[in-house]
């Protein structure tokens, strides 16, 4: 009977928990000696396009080659997971236009509607002063509210 433990880490050299020692991935060296490490590589564009094609087949979505190529480009730029999530929504947009085939316009439409992590982060950084708990040192009271008697009394403290 063999026990198997699967894990993924990108920690590099890190402190072993509970000690002051450093080791790869923070794993004790005696345990690390007993592990088999399998290196993985990122998917290339062609591999991502094949994964997208297979996912389209599984979801019964007909897609133009150009639209699939655009999704592969988005997968390289953002993430494969994000690109795969756009398949179903692009299919719904195509159905709304009364088409059974997803076209480039459908993929562009859902790309505009649904943010990937990078674009979402950029938006939040650009507009952080508009959010309630930003860290740029804004006043605690929103500009639209007038100070109350209680706020004025706090100045005496």
């Amino acid at each position: 009977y063999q026990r198997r433990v699967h894990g993924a880490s990108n920690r590099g050299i890190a402190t072993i928990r509970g000690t002051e020692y450093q080791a790869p991935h923070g794993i004790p060296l005696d345990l690390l000696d007993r592990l088999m490490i399998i290196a993985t590589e990122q998917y290339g564009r062609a591999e991502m396009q094949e994964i997208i094609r297979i996912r389209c087949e599984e979801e019964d979505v007909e897609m133009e080659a150009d639209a699939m190529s655009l999704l592969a480009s988005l997968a390289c730029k953002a993430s494969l997971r994000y690109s795969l999530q756009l398949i179903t929504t692009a299919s719904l947009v195509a159905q709304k236009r009364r088409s059974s085939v997803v076209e480039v316009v459908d993929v562009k439409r859902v790309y505009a509607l649904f943010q990937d992590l990078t674009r979402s982060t950029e938006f939040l950084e650009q507009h952080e002063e508009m959010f309630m708990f930003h860290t740029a040192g804004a006043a605690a009271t929103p500009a639209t509210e007038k100070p109350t008697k209680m706020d004025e009394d706090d100045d005496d403290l």
Side-chain angles (χ1 to χ4, degrees):
Y1 181 72
Q2 291 181 333
R3 296 180 189 258
R4 294 183 185 178
V5 177
H6 298 268
S9 172
N10 62 353
R11 291 180 59 201
I13 303 296
T15 303
I16 299 171
R17 185 177 291 175
T19 71
E20 295 179 14
Y21 297 108
Q22 300 274 314
H25 311 289
I27 298 172
L29 295 176
D30 60 330
L31 176 60
L32 192 61
D33 289 340
R34 297 182 198 132
L35 297 177
M36 177 173 41
I37 298 174
I38 302 170
T40 58
E41 296 177 9
Q42 287 187 332
Y43 292 125
R45 189 179 194 288
E47 294 166 319
M48 286 190 197
Q49 189 155 350
E50 180 63 16
I51 292 168
I52 292 167
R53 185 193 64 73
I54 292 168
R55 184 67 174 262
C56 286
E57 283 180 16
E58 291 297 317
E59 293 187 18
D60 293 326
V61 173
E62 288 186 51
M63 187 172 294
E64 284 184 344
D66 290 343
M68 200 173 298
S69 180
L70 178 57
L71 279 178
S73 296
L74 291 174
C76 293
K77 180 181 169 188
S79 73
L80 181 58
R81 177 177 293 178
Y82 172 72
S83 187
L84 292 174
Q85 289 174 343
L86 294 182
I87 293 171
T88 303
T89 51
S91 176
L92 293 171
V93 168
Q95 287 176 8
K96 189 164 184 172
R97 321 184 271 109
R98 301 190 194 287
S99 174
S100 61
V101 178
V102 175
E103 299 175 3
V104 171
V105 294
D106 303 318
V107 174
K108 287 182 178 180
R109 173 80 174 133
V110 296
Y111 176 77
L113 292 173
F114 298 99
Q115 300 278 316
D116 60 270
L117 179 65
T118 304
R119 291 188 302 147
S120 178
T121 302
E122 287 172 358
F123 176 84
L124 290 173
E125 288 173 352
Q126 289 172 357
H127 298 84
E128 92 178 295
E129 71 279 350
M130 298 173 69
F131 295 102
M132 188 171 182
F133 298 107
H134 71 90
T135 59
T141 306
T144 56
E145 291 184 22
K146 294 180 181 176
T148 63
K149 176 72 175 142
M150 185 180 219
D151 291 333
E152 291 171 3
D153 291 341
D154 286 345
D155 292 341
D156 296 334
L157 296 175

